[in-house]
Amino acid sequence: MTQRLDWHVQAANAATSSNLPKKPKPYPRWWDTTDRIRRPSPERIARLDDARRRQADRRRAVAEGRIA
């Protein structure tokens, strides 16, 4: 919020529009999901599935005593 306030003060006191500071990033709102609804990419889904498979393999190997 302080960044936003600083930006407003600097923008209000800028002599010309070419001197405007860069806008700050929006504050993350975890409760507002309207603009954040994204489906994971197929590559990410494949990486997650691969990681889950490797984890299951490790757990199985530990349970069988092949690795400690």
Side-chain angles (χ1 to χ4, degrees), residues 29-64:
R29 292 172 171 87
W30 57 266
W31 63 88
D32 184 16
T33 58
T34 55
D35 60 344
R36 294 190 322 159
I37 297 176
R38 295 184 302 172
R39 295 186 188 271
S41 68
E43 295 84 18
R44 179 171 169 78
I45 291 173
R47 284 196 320 264
L48 290 172
D49 288 342
D50 190 42
R52 288 183 187 115
R53 182 191 49 78
R54 288 192 316 266
Q55 182 183 28
D57 290 345
R58 281 193 304 271
R59 285 184 179 167
R60 200 174 308 113
V62 169
E64 293 172 356

Side-chain angles (χ1 to χ4, degrees), residues 6-21:
D6 288 343
W7 180 81
H8 280 289
V9 170
Q10 290 174 1
N13 294 321
T16 62
S17 62
S18 63
N19 293 338
L20 286 176

